[in-house]
Amino acid sequence: MKETWVYSFAEGDGKNKKLLGGKGANLCELTQTGIRVPPGFVITTKACLAFLNNPERKIPQGMMEQVSKHLKKIEGLTNKSFGGEKKPLLLSVRSGSAMSMPGMMDTILNLGLNPDTLKGLIADTGNERFCYDAYRRFIQLFGKVALGIPDELFDEEFEKIKSKAHAHLDVDLSRDDLAEICTVFLQVVERYTGKPFPHDPFEQLEIAIKAVFSSWMGKRAVDYRREFKITSEMANGTAVNIVAMVFGNMSNNSATGVGFTRDPGTGENVIFGEYLVNAQGEDVVAGIRTPKPLAAMADEMPGLFKELMELRNNLESHFKEVQDFEFTIEEGILYCLQTRNGKMNATAMVRTSVEMKKEGLIDTKQALLRIKPEMLEQLLFPRLDPDADATPVAKGLPASPGGASGIAVFDADRAEKLGHEGVKVILVREETKPEDIHGFFAAQGILTSRGGKTSHAAVVARGMGKPCVAGAEGITVDVRLRQAVIGDTLISEGDTITIDGSTGGVYLGELPLIEAEFTPELEKLLSWADEKARLKVMANADTPGDAKRALKFGAMGIGLCRTERMFNEPSRLPIVIEMIIADTKEDRQKALDKLLPIQREDFKNIFIEMAPRPVTIRLLDPPIHEFLPQEQQLIEELELLRNLRKNLRGMRKLSEAVTFMYQNEPEKPIVQLSADPELLDAVILKKDMILSKVRSLHEINPMLGHRGVRLGLTFPEIYAMQIRAILEAAAECKKSGVTVHPEIMIPQVCTAQELKRVKEWVIQIHAEVEDRFGLSIQCAFGSMLEVVRACMRAENLAEEAEFFSFGTNDLTQATFSFSREDAENKFLPMYNMSHILQDNPFEVLDVKGVGKLMELAVRWGRQTRPDIKVGICGEHGGHPASIEFCHKIGLTYVSCSGPRVPIARLAAAHAAINQP
Amino acid sequence: MKETWVYSFAEGDGKNKKLLGGKGANLCELTQTGIRVPPGFVITTKACLAFLNNPERKIPQGMMEQVSKHLKKIEGLTNKSFGGEKKPLLLSVRSGSAMSMPGMMDTILNLGLNPDTLKGLIADTGNERFCYDAYRRFIQLFGKVALGIPDELFDEEFEKIKSKAHAHLDVDLSRDDLAEICTVFLQVVERYTGKPFPHDPFEQLEIAIKAVFSSWMGKRAVDYRREFKITSEMANGTAVNIVAMVFGNMSNNSATGVGFTRDPGTGENVIFGEYLVNAQGEDVVAGIRTPKPLAAMADEMPGLFKELMELRNNLESHFKEVQDFEFTIEEGILYCLQTRNGKMNATAMVRTSVEMKKEGLIDTKQALLRIKPEMLEQLLFPRLDPDADATPVAKGLPASPGGASGIAVFDADRAEKLGHEGVKVILVREETKPEDIHGFFAAQGILTSRGGKTSHAAVVARGMGKPCVAGAEGITVDVRLRQAVIGDTLISEGDTITIDGSTGGVYLGELPLIEAEFTPELEKLLSWADEKARLKVMANADTPGDAKRALKFGAMGIGLCRTERMFNEPSRLPIVIEMIIADTKEDRQKALDKLLPIQREDFKNIFIEMAPRPVTIRLLDPPIHEFLPQEQQLIEELELLRNLRKNLRGMRKLSEAVTFMYQNEPEKPIVQLSADPELLDAVILKKDMILSKVRSLHEINPMLGHRGVRLGLTFPEIYAMQIRAILEAAAECKKSGVTVHPEIMIPQVCTAQELKRVKEWVIQIHAEVEDRFGLSIQCAFGSMLEVVRACMRAENLAEEAEFFSFGTNDLTQATFSFSREDAENKFLPMYNMSHILQDNPFEVLDVKGVGKLMELAVRWGRQTRPDIKVGICGEHGGHPASIEFCHKIGLTYVSCSGPRVPIARLAAAHAAINQP
């Protein structure tokens, strides 16, 4: 059977994006839907792969014949002739792969022009200036894309003639200027390639197709695929779309524009976009001329605007998704050149989801699935505090919402370098091009002095959810000097600036940012998510304030309440230190007796805040030396105090001592102590005790040290105090009518015996508290699974534990034998960069290793206790891919930081919809 | 059905030790074999449990009736009557559980005596002195064991009368003295208990049985079972053996003794033991009188000696095991009182195994199985260097071989305390008693001033394989003053002494110890083991010297050659430091170029030593900061050097500088440097560089840090150098005709990608070296499994690795999240003590957690590569129970330290025999 390499838009399968690419499939679909598209055809991605896999990079057998056949059809439809001296057919040649990769692939316009067809075009259009303009554009684009000639060579010549002609804008150039440019450009090509420019349109076409094919393996495309993790499963090779040219720059009754069917910044259901009269599409996208908003068309071209609105409605009803489309008006006829799903920020995605569902365009599942959970992160991103009352030094277009501060950096390479070093940068450019993409990844935000809301910078920044101010024309960017000038103000590389992508403001220095509020649409969307999800979403929260915030984010309870943060509060730390340095059980008990009412109050307030949702409290986990000062600090303090004491000897009067101190330590006065040698002695004694405790508690590997339940079993009175505080708090709540569901969770467990011991204490204190308060308290008892052995012994642990919670931070460290702090500083970046590990396992759950262990632990645990509640409370609990995995292995809940709760809720819904 | 609680020796099942206890079953077996045993019966362990489980501790229904019935039978057999005024029958009542627990349980002799039966006994024997002696022994034993009266109360009275009678030894006491003692003893009992001594023999019997039953739950018994890990599966409850008394102290034609059928110290096939004429058994065991060797009996009682030799032969042919038996001669008639398998030291076990096999008594499997592999440790224990030429300050009996040094400690509690603190102690006692057992566990060796080779101290020490010198009569021990006096020499607590359990020598101070040599018997035994074993036994060896020693121990190759020890040698360390502080790849390469020939030479010498056995070399593992000095040390050195430099300024002459130095730092002269300020500056500069490197390399958790393959991938040139050194060494060996099998092993692997990268280097360097030398080299490539994730991903790792080696030290740390150094100092002893963990998982492989992970890894790895070689090279590789587990999960080899190789070989044979 003969392979079909080419499909016309009228016959191609609009669903087969893998074969035809997104753009090609869309054009087929559009054509077949009855939307006016210039006639054309698409060469398949299979042809591209056949070409790339051919060692000599030859076009596959028979393909060019099929191309010729389809060209004939276009000639028929347009009544034009390819290479004809009369009514010449011109073509656009565009790439298009299965995944949208904006600006990544190369495009050639006006293909088919040569001195002969130029004459035909002049004859045909009667517009010589337009024709030479089209020709010079073609020569440059073809030269650059297909022949690899640097743009600068053309630009230099262009600028020379422009300045000779005293032209300020391109449109100021005359027919003769443009004709001269064509001549010079043809010379540039011949000089660079050593061969004359190919005039044969068929030769041009073949060269162009090969260039598009090859661009699939170009550096930019490969980088983009790697960065966005686009596998060959998702997209393999690019199709080539060959379309009859239509011209938006043929006259003032011609125009070109790009549009979104809804506002991609806010999601509002109004058409959004820009157009330029008498211009070609690239003029809009490249931001060289500043275009008008589409709304202006209603006045300027009212009939065509009506047609445009019809197009918009047709597109949405057909694709059931916000569309990002291009159109051209050639002499009053509106063509849709391409369409694709619109890239929007999270606000817009959420709003359009909710509204399109309400309009009946999509159903709940679709409304949920079209939003990537990670996207919601944007909504939880900070924005500029409106009360900051700062005056912008410049204003641009609000191209991608949100606020960002960072140092100004003027090229993408430096932005990337500094960004990787952890420096916050704002990428400042005159305009951006696809080759700047790596700078976007590293920047906090983007600022350009040219281009509109659909310029490259704006589109890419919105896609990434990064703030962008575009077209801030008051700014003059000088890349060479690494500076930007705004009136009298000079911004040099390294100066901190702030941009507000929601208003277009540019500010000097760093401005305060505030958190975003939940929109009603987001609330609605997440309520749908909760209906679909099977996983519950809990929050990690350590204080009543955390709990309150978590509730606002929709947490269904607290999955992890760390008690150590309570210990660390400045007012309590001295008591904790007292407890630690105690030499006897009695002294330790004294300190614990002081801590008990404090902890009880903490728990009570959290319980009240969360009532009646469950609150899982983890007993003390970190090694106790973490509560003590650093050894070096103590040594220095002691030296200072001892010197002071030495000099104090003999001094009698307060004033004398204080004077001495200020003389000797002007910056570190220890006023109270100085007056009283006895008090000073006592302080020295105490600090000495703390120092020797710090030394005796020193551990070689604190991550694997004396912590968690090991500590709890060594000093039973600490855990006993915490258990008592929890149960008494619960009892007091219950007494005052508040329903509470406390859960006690034991950290660092490695054997069921540990649980058994602590459980005995819980049972005993539980009975005692119930007895004293004369009421019954529900309190679950469970175990962290953060030690590998705990996972291996899950079936035994489940005999004691009523619930499990995977602590995937520690579990990942133990499974990899990576100390997180050391790894991320030392070798992990290299591991990721060289693809030894695809991800940072502390950010993305390592499904193959840690996940496999978790899956086994769940299975083993449920062998003993089939209904055991199992959750996760590591950072991974808020990571969508990890949540999907948690759903898959049958966890009951995930717990994550408050601001990630919405992301987790949506991810949980996705997981449930995708794996019912 | 009526429960049978009691069996006569003629009817009990000699194989059913669980029901009848070891002693009881033996007595049944002896009786039924035709060996002359005093008539008696045994009360079952079931009766004991029924008694203990009864809340009121009542003797089970019907048991005493059965006892009476059996008593009647004994009366018939002995023609004596229990409680009779004529020919009274006296009984011994002894405990005996399924497991031998020497001295742990209580025994009562001469039961049945009272004023009436005493008269009958006198009439019967005509020996009043003997009868009163028997009576006073009975009262004391019964008082102590059955009524709980402290021995001291009796001893005080005894000593009073003894001194009043001017008696030096017990035998110096007259009939009247003994009669007086009886009267006083009866008063002691009445005073202590508030009741008269029970005179009714049946009441005596019932009380005695209850006391034996209860002793099963006594502290000593419970401690012993815990220490030796005797579970209720192995022994549950004690039986009670009730036997007609025979008297070795009835006359000078009576005697009592204990014997081993072979010498338990050397294994030599000669009878071994001691006897006392006119004495009761306890006199021999307690070491109160120093007995004569059995050989002396040939002269003293030639007829009976012949009978004894017959008994010995009968015992061995019946039990097919060396027997430890007790006998009594009553008026010329030889009775065997009990027998059990003899506890012997390793030398004796090995020799008897080999000889009994040769004699045809046992087969090879039996010869192997009767020796616990751990036991061989004794043979690998150090002994005193015979060339040390030290003069003993005292001489005792060589009671348990081997040499030991430590500080003298005079009671078991202090020995235990100090031992647990890591202090080496020698327990010095007049004589030891069962209640001293905890001191034995903690001591390096035991020294007593009284008792023979079968005294408590000797028996227990031999069982534990600890050196013991017994009955060193020249020493006067004073527990109260915590000192011992030997002539003019005073040994106070804390003084270091050395004992030689092979010669009986006692020395002041610490003497040099040397390793034991392999005996031909051990060689033979291990050759049998190798035939039976399936697991290969490799050694961990880092140097040619190690390799030589490992070969001597029978290693079949090197399973782990750690390259870091080579790095650490003083002559090389400066080059290693140079490599570490290098800032550029080039500087690092320069240092590596110096290391290459050194490493190559190391490997070559190891290969030659081990040829043609395989040598597995692990590439560099530890974090590189381990090769640098400590931060604090550097700071101090720098301060010193800087001070020196400051003071040197202005000095011109060498003499001046040196003088200054000696004045200021008399103890730390830095002679070479002092003369040359420039050199001094250079040294300061270098040390500063090292210091800043030390700081930049600091890690929070070095165990989980930048080490192993992570380091190798960060600095590829280090691994490349090592790989080159290995392959060039192999090539040079091959060139000179030596067959070598190098294997390259990668540490700390967590993903197959890591292996893949290093493997590429190996392949490249391999090809290059083969090419240069013009020959082919075999070299296997494998991975450590010491990271949990490596185990989880074993099926992927097996795609790259030709062999795996479990690093169970690190794997245990990661699985438990225990840092070994921290855990063993901080909480692990508490975990073991309170049975949260049964064992220290760094000593005994944690089968349930780490082992489960290993088992899964082996299974997964073999899914990819069914024939993959899998070994273990952690410390567990030399631990018998762990080796058994390794056999069970199908490992190919174990690798352990050289001296543990013989243990591993025997353990591997055991595993193969037990799990064919």
Side-chain angles (χ1 to χ4, degrees), chain B residues 414-428:
Chain B
R414 290 184 62 82
E416 184 182 40
K417 188 173 168 296
L418 290 166
H420 281 185
E421 289 169 5
V423 179
K424 291 187 171 186
V425 305
I426 303 287
L427 179 61
V428 183

Side-chain angles (χ1 to χ4, degrees), chain B residues 400-538:
Chain B
S400 179
S405 295
I407 64 167
V409 171
F410 296 88
D411 70 278
D413 290 343
R414 290 184 62 82
E416 184 182 40
K417 188 173 168 296
L418 290 166
H420 281 185
E421 289 169 5
V423 179
K424 291 187 171 186
V425 305
I426 303 287
L427 179 61
V428 183
R429 301 284 286 163
E430 197 161 27
E431 55 183 317
T432 63
K433 293 192 171 175
E435 43 266 49
D436 293 327
I437 192 84
H438 56 295
F440 279 62
F441 294 129
Q444 303 297 307
I446 292 91
L447 168 61
T448 66
S449 59
R450 287 167 72 178
K453 280 184 177 184
T454 46
S455 64
H456 175 265
V459 169
V460 173
R462 275 203 299 278
M464 294 185 183
K466 298 205 172 185
C468 174
V469 172
E473 297 188 345
I475 304 180
T476 311
V477 176
D478 189 324
V479 175
R480 210 115 28 112
L481 293 180
R482 297 186 183 288
Q483 65 181 37
V485 180
I486 311 169
D488 300 337
T489 310
L490 177 76
I491 301 176
S492 299
E493 183 168 291
D495 290 350
T496 299
I497 60 172
T498 299
I499 59 171
D500 184 346
S502 311
T503 63
V506 179
Y507 304 84
L508 296 181
E510 191 171 346
L511 291 190
L513 302 174
I514 54 159
E515 284 181 36
E517 290 286 312
F518 264 35
T519 60
E521 287 88 0
L522 182 56
E523 301 266 18
K524 173 53 86 184
L525 187 88
L526 290 175
S527 76
W528 294 340
D530 293 346
E531 282 164 25
K532 297 286 177 198
R534 198 197 62 214
L535 280 169
K536 302 280 169 221
V537 179
M538 309 288 181

Side-chain angles (χ1 to χ4, degrees), chain B residues 369-413:
Chain B
L369 286 179
R370 66 189 281 279
I371 304 173
K372 278 197 179 178
E374 291 93 339
M375 222 186 180
L376 296 188
E377 216 174 75
Q378 291 173 27
L379 299 183
L380 315 158
F381 269 171
R383 56 194 176 92
L384 283 198
D385 184 348
D387 299 339
D389 199 26
T391 311
V393 289
K395 266 277 196 184
L397 300 169
S400 179
S405 295
I407 64 167
V409 171
F410 296 88
D411 70 278
D413 290 343

Side-chain angles (χ1 to χ4, degrees), chain B residues 70 74 393 427 455 541 623 649 839 858:
Chain B
H70 282 280
I74 301 184
V393 289
L427 179 61
S455 64
R649 213 155 283 162
D839 297 298
V858 172

